[in-house]
Amino acid sequence: MNTTNILKKYPLCHRCFGRLYAKLLHTSNYERGKSLKIAKAIELESKLRILMENYNNKLNNKKEENNEELKELENNGIKGLKSEISEIKEQLKYLYKSGLTEIKLMDILEEEISEEIDEKKEENVEPCPWCKNIFDKENLEIISEKVMSLLNDYEYEKFLVGTMLPKSIKQLEKELETPYMESIRQEFNRIMGKILVEKTGKIVDKISPDIVVMINPYNKKIKLQVNPIFIKGRYKKLERGIPQTHWPCRNCKGKGCEKCNYTGKQYPTSVEEIIAEPFMKVFKGADEAFHGAGREDIDVRMLGNGRPFVLQIKEPKIRKADLEKLKEEVNKSGKVEILDLDYGVRKDVVFFKNEPHKKTYLAVVECEEEISDDEISELVNKLENLTINQRTPIRVSHRRADLVRVRKVYKADAKRIDAKTFELTLYCDGGLYIKELISGDEGRTSPSVSELLNKKCICKMLDVLNVHDIENEEN
Ligand SMILES: [Zn+2]
Ligand SMILES: [Zn+2]
């Protein structure tokens, strides 16, 4: 579409017209738009002058012409000129209506426009259908003050403005699109960002803002998207019988029933709840999520250097607090202990979830029959650097795909407790089910301790002694 065809359909203001070519020439959209219109107006005006001159000359010559044939030609020429002139006047009119009021200097044109609209001059300019005056000072002031009052409730350092457009504006943009256009969204983000930087003294951060301020500048609706904070650390579980995360009651699915004493919980507490509670109080979050680097069974303790975790606090009102104090608060529980606390980022969650860390376990193995010292030391030798084929254990088969995992035991050590019982320490791949490694799980895990000893064994107690992530890698 050429300049005046666009303006004929949509009387875009200077700023919006300039936005169609935002990627060309380093200047403001307003200046670019106005300049383009001025250039077009100059071109049209000079053409108009020439045409008018020709037209007047022809009118003068016409009287002297007697030859009918020539008269006919002359008349046609005059007609053609007349329509060309009115076409250019038309085009100038669109430029005027889109805000190029400098054109009013031209007498003829002014007549034409005042014929149509006999109100005040500035009302001859039509409202811009793209920006609809959202960049007006008062509008920007109302919106920025509204944002300020919403932000008041939150602690933050870095923010970002995001603009939401009404459907009709999005459609208009699609129709107007040029390869050099920028969306009005980008311009509003930029302008509102600048105003808010000035008012708040905070900074704009496009990569990891604490808060994204979502604004619809047309209806002045504002929404804050408060990004979560991540706190990483390691936890130890000192007591058996505590699940890692909150479990809804199996009977009522969390609604609360007689069986769960109307708590909605299957277990009175969890590692997640013990850790999250004091953090939620201090950071004033709306919700939380607990991400552990794997999980131990409910009856298994987590000892040693602890298991890495990330606590995600959603929509926090506070973003910085004394982590040392929070650590003490959690450790007072006597059930869970946390250490190595620090602020993390979203990526830590993915890392923790995907990294299959090697582990060191301590298991108490009980055999059906008595077991000799020789048998124990032979078992230890066989277990070292042993590859295990483990089909998904029966006890988890309802929630895990049935497949055979190949895992390795790297190191083993054993210590007798009594005639039928011994302690077994294992350093092995993450994801190896230890209870099944000992029992054999009806042949689904092979080789197993039961198989190697040729005696039926069970795991009586289990502790995780160490989770070996990159920083704590053995060897
Ligand atoms: Zn506009
Ligand atoms: Zn219940």
Side-chain angles (χ1 to χ4, degrees):
M1 264 199 268
N2 76 34
T3 307
T4 46
N5 278 351
I6 295 171
L7 294 177
K8 182 179 175 183
K9 199 161 181 199
Y10 302 110
L12 301 179
C13 68
H14 297 343
R15 185 199 285 268
C16 288
F17 193 62
R19 195 180 308 107
L20 291 176
Y21 311 97
K23 288 168 192 161
L24 303 174
L25 202 75
H26 193 74
T27 180
S28 70
N29 284 337
Y30 180 91
E31 204 180 350
R32 189 182 307 101
K34 187 172 181 183
S35 308
L36 281 166
K37 289 184 193 173
I38 287 178
K40 187 69 189 176
I42 290 174
E43 178 196 322
L44 290 171
E45 199 181 314
S46 68
K47 252 195 210 166
L48 186 64
R49 278 176 197 280
I50 295 166
L51 289 170
M52 294 287 286
E53 217 174 309
N54 287 347
Y55 179 72
N56 288 331
N57 287 344
K58 285 225 158 124
L59 276 187
N60 292 337
N61 295 342
K62 195 179 150 193
K63 293 164 198 158
E64 293 148 30
E65 196 56 65
N66 287 319
N67 183 316
E68 280 299 311
E69 216 171 304
L70 280 174
K71 208 172 186 171
E72 176 75 26
L73 270 175
E74 277 295 318
N75 276 340
N76 283 346
I78 289 170
K79 250 194 226 158
L81 275 172
K82 216 174 164 184
S83 84
E84 262 188 83
I85 287 167
S86 71
E87 171 59 28
I88 287 182
K89 280 187 190 172
E90 248 339 83
Q91 292 192 32
L92 280 165
K93 201 155 70 184
Y94 302 136
L95 284 167
Y96 183 99
K97 284 185 175 175
S98 76
L100 196 66
T101 50
E102 286 80 354
I103 294 175
K104 74 184 161 192
L105 293 173
M106 295 199 45
D107 311 337
I108 313 160
L109 200 70
E110 196 157 13
E111 267 168 42
E112 295 245 345
I113 285 172
S114 49
E115 259 170 44
E116 270 174 43
I117 312 154
D118 32 40
E119 306 274 321
K120 282 180 207 158
K121 291 277 149 57
E122 56 264 31
E123 283 174 27
N124 294 346
V125 175
E126 291 187 356
C128 174
W130 195 356
C131 67
K132 296 186 174 172
N133 298 334
I134 56 167
F135 294 104
D136 277 5
K137 246 194 172 152
E138 308 99 84
N139 195 53
L140 294 176
E141 181 62 21
I142 292 167
I143 289 174
S144 60
E145 279 305 308
K146 213 166 159 188
V147 172
M148 291 297 288
S149 76
L150 287 174
L151 283 174
N152 236 344
D153 291 343
Y154 295 90
E155 181 182 88
Y156 65 99
E157 286 309 316
K158 309 165 287 173
F159 73 95
L160 186 65
V161 174
T163 302
M164 302 176 286
L165 299 181
K167 233 185 179 170
S168 59
I169 298 293
K170 278 191 212 164
Q171 274 165 352
L172 179 67
E173 286 198 352
K174 235 186 190 167
E175 195 182 333
L176 290 170
E177 191 162 8
T178 76
Y180 315 109
M181 189 180 106
E182 71 169 2
S183 169
I184 199 164
R185 187 185 275 132
Q186 283 160 285
E187 185 165 8
F188 192 83
N189 288 347
R190 202 162 53 230
I191 285 176
M192 189 46 68
K194 253 188 215 162
I195 293 171
L196 291 175
V197 164
E198 218 156 89
K199 286 197 177 195
T200 60
K202 312 287 184 184
I203 55 168
V204 169
D205 187 325
K206 287 182 182 168
I207 314 256
S208 62
D210 296 332
I211 298 183
V212 182
V213 185
M214 298 299 294
I215 304 172
N216 178 334
Y218 294 89
N219 64 8
K220 303 186 185 62
K221 281 212 174 122
I222 298 158
K223 229 170 56 192
L224 295 187
Q225 182 194 307
V226 181
N227 283 333
I229 53 168
F230 299 89
I231 289 151
K232 56 180 181 178
R234 307 178 79 92
Y235 77 82
K236 296 199 250 179
K237 186 170 98 189
L238 308 174
E239 265 183 25
R240 298 180 203 283
I242 305 172
Q244 187 191 56
T245 50
H246 164 253
W247 271 41
C249 166
R250 272 194 206 102
N251 189 48
C252 64
K253 294 191 169 102
K255 281 182 218 133
C257 66
E258 215 169 303
K259 267 192 180 165
C260 61
N261 215 358
Y262 299 98
T263 57
K265 297 194 275 190
Q266 187 69 25
Y267 296 90
T269 191
S270 62
V271 173
E272 174 180 14
E273 285 160 275
I274 292 169
I275 295 175
E277 202 192 282
F279 281 81
M280 287 292 278
K281 256 190 213 153
V282 169
F283 289 101
K284 298 190 167 67
D287 198 5
E288 50 87 10
F290 188 88
H291 312 277
R295 62 166 70 208
E296 65 284 338
D297 287 341
I298 292 168
D299 59 349
V300 174
R301 289 187 300 180
M302 177 65 238
L303 304 172
N305 62 349
R307 184 188 294 277
F309 73 90
V310 178
L311 178 65
Q312 178 179 6
I313 298 174
K314 298 171 185 174
E315 294 177 46
K317 292 203 157 120
I318 304 294
R319 303 190 82 86
K320 280 273 181 287
D322 188 345
L323 295 182
E324 204 54 34
K325 231 168 146 183
L326 281 164
K327 183 178 100 175
E328 281 168 26
E329 193 71 31
V330 171
N331 293 356
K332 262 196 262 169
S333 72
K335 295 174 178 160
V336 171
E337 220 177 280
I338 50 175
L339 55 152
D340 297 347
L341 288 188
D342 203 355
Y343 293 96
V345 290
R346 191 179 292 275
K347 240 170 46 193
D348 291 330
V349 175
V350 181
F351 171 74
F352 278 5
K353 284 201 159 163
N354 295 345
E355 207 64 19
H357 304 295
K358 289 176 186 165
K359 311 255 168 39
T360 301
Y361 290 97
L362 176 68
V364 173
V365 180
E366 191 184 69
C367 303
E368 259 183 358
E369 309 155 39
E370 287 187 8
I371 180 167
S372 72
D373 286 344
D374 282 352
E375 281 174 311
I376 290 179
S377 63
E378 206 178 311
L379 170 74
V380 165
N381 284 336
K382 282 180 181 164
L383 279 171
E384 295 217 345
N385 291 316
L386 184 65
T387 300
I388 315 285
N389 293 301
Q390 188 160 59
R391 196 172 149 199
T392 305
I394 294 164
R395 73 184 160 96
V396 299
S397 58
H398 62 284
R399 58 187 164 92
R400 293 273 154 87
D402 188 14
L403 47 92
V404 175
R405 294 174 182 81
V406 179
R407 297 282 188 271
K408 244 185 120 169
V409 175
Y410 299 94
K411 283 178 197 166
D413 199 9
K415 208 173 102 191
R416 173 184 293 286
I417 297 174
D418 61 36
K420 289 181 181 174
T421 343
F422 61 95
E423 272 183 2
L424 182 62
T425 311
L426 296 166
Y427 171 54
C428 58
D429 279 331
L432 178 63
Y433 294 96
I434 302 302
K435 288 173 183 168
E436 284 71 18
L437 172 69
I438 291 166
S439 71
D441 199 24
E442 295 171 20
R444 293 159 76 99
T445 295
S446 178
S448 67
V449 171
S450 296
E451 190 183 326
L452 294 171
L453 286 173
N454 203 17
K455 287 180 167 59
K456 240 187 171 172
C457 303
I458 56 152
C459 176
K460 265 209 99 180
M461 262 200 291
L462 185 64
D463 291 327
V464 185
L465 290 189
N466 256 318
V467 174
H468 306 275
D469 49 38
I470 288 166
E471 288 140 58
N472 290 281
E473 194 61 74
E474 258 185 32
N475 311 320

